[in-house]
Amino acid sequence: MDLIEQQHIPTCFLRVKEDGTSALHVIHAPDPAHPFDLEQVAQYTLIFGWPGLENTWQGITFNYAFRMHWQTLFRFALCQALCANSAAKSSVVRRLVLVMAWPRMYHEAVALYNAAFLEQLLVAQYRSHLNILQVHVPDDQACNFLDDNALHILLHNHILLDWVDHAYTYGMVYLEQQFHNPTMSMDIFKDVDNERIEHVSRYGTSPAILQWDGWREMTEDDHYRLMFKRNEKHLLPAPPKATGLYYYIGMDPNWVHL
């Protein structure tokens, strides 16, 4: 029997295909013109991240109820807004994430900038008037993209200090994922983690932005879509190896890292 008939999915969640059969409404990729529509980002990430089977979205926090943490979704959206699609994008994102995982690094960069340009102090942009210039890094220059380059992107786009502080959780989760899946860059990750611990011990952590904090609850639409995705996955010859981490229900993703 068809999965739709088996589960009695309400018609409001369905569309009729050309062959007369029913299917769930299509989910479109997040609109690049609205990078901080986090609800759209959340649903797309949830459905195409195969939660419950594997978590391939680096830095995004899932728990066993398939909730996602808004802080990590925000940082993911910020990376997508700042980085143009290219073969070098993963290297650029990695450096941006490591800057976020290093508390107060951006504060220090802003202080140095303001001291050097007294007549052109950094004025942060606000969400309703964003004008972001994406970074394009040639593929053959990806290995030369370092922390200073990542900081330059943030400064050039006048990103708020609070936004970078808010992205700290994403940076921690990203680091933890790397330690569970060792790579050739492990020495870099260890150095950043040591600096992170030192800075947290000295300065503590900054408060989260309340409107982008806490866990996103699954919707009824999400439930049916995940049901279909899980059914598709079980029909594959062999599921890929899980690459992510999941948190217990009720666990704060911050406390285990402090």
Side-chain angles (χ1 to χ4, degrees):
M1 182 182 293
D2 183 88
L3 184 62
I4 289 177
E5 296 179 359
Q6 290 179 0
Q7 301 298 333
H8 306 291
I9 296 177
T11 57
C12 61
F13 297 112
L14 302 174
R15 61 186 172 86
V16 179
K17 299 194 297 184
E18 292 181 357
D19 61 4
T21 60
S22 297
L24 293 174
H25 291 295
V26 175
I27 288 186
H28 298 286
D31 184 355
H34 301 92
F36 297 104
D37 182 351
L38 295 191
E39 180 58 37
Q40 185 185 33
V41 172
Q43 188 176 52
Y44 187 84
T45 303
L46 176 67
I47 303 307
F48 291 99
W50 302 105
L53 298 165
E54 61 174 326
N55 174 11
T56 59
W57 297 90
Q58 295 286 298
I60 295 181
T61 305
F62 284 88
N63 69 15
Y64 285 107
F66 304 150
R67 300 185 184 103
M68 289 177 287
H69 206 272
W70 285 115
Q71 276 186 267
T72 58
L73 281 166
F74 169 80
R75 177 60 182 84
F76 175 80
L78 182 58
C79 273
Q80 299 305 304
L82 291 171
C83 302
N85 289 324
S86 70
K89 182 175 181 177
S90 61
S91 298
V92 176
V93 169
R94 180 171 63 246
R95 279 296 170 181
L96 283 169
V97 171
L98 296 182
V99 167
M100 304 302 180
W102 189 324
R104 300 193 66 83
M105 179 189 280
Y106 186 49
H107 286 254
E108 294 167 3
V110 170
L112 289 173
Y113 176 92
N114 286 338
F117 301 98
L118 294 176
E119 297 181 358
Q120 295 180 330
L121 299 180
L122 190 75
V123 178
Q125 295 195 72
Y126 289 89
R127 186 173 53 165
S128 58
H129 299 93
L130 281 180
N131 181 24
I132 290 180
L133 179 65
Q134 288 191 321
V135 59
H136 294 261
V137 178
D139 299 347
D140 59 353
Q141 293 297 314
C143 61
N144 297 323
F145 191 87
L146 302 175
D147 292 341
D148 287 346
N149 303 105
L151 289 167
H152 177 76
I153 292 171
L154 297 171
L155 291 168
H156 184 77
N157 282 288
H158 292 224
I159 301 300
L160 287 109
L161 289 167
D162 290 351
W163 282 21
V164 177
D165 290 342
H166 187 70
Y168 172 64
T169 302
Y170 181 96
M172 288 193 304
V173 175
Y174 179 93
L175 278 175
E176 183 174 14
Q177 288 174 329
Q178 308 315 308
F179 284 121
H180 281 77
N181 297 278
T183 68
M184 294 179 63
S185 302
M186 191 53 60
D187 288 342
I188 296 175
F189 298 138
K190 288 180 180 178
D191 289 343
V192 171
D193 196 48
N194 290 335
E195 291 290 348
R196 178 188 70 81
I197 293 171
E198 180 183 340
H199 276 65
V200 169
S201 300
R202 186 185 308 171
Y203 302 111
T205 57
S206 300
I209 299 173
L210 293 179
Q211 70 194 80
W212 290 325
D213 193 21
W215 294 93
R216 176 192 180 271
E217 297 288 342
M218 277 182 56
T219 65
E220 188 177 5
D221 186 26
D222 294 338
H223 170 76
Y224 291 125
R225 290 185 183 281
L226 283 180
M227 185 190 304
F228 268 77
K229 280 294 180 183
R230 289 174 65 86
N231 184 63
E232 291 176 5
K233 183 70 110 179
H234 289 307
L235 295 177
L236 295 176
K241 181 181 178 181
T243 59
L245 300 170
Y246 288 85
Y247 290 77
Y248 290 109
I249 298 171
M251 178 183 288
D252 183 342
N254 288 291
W255 78 268
V256 294
H257 305 282
L258 299 178

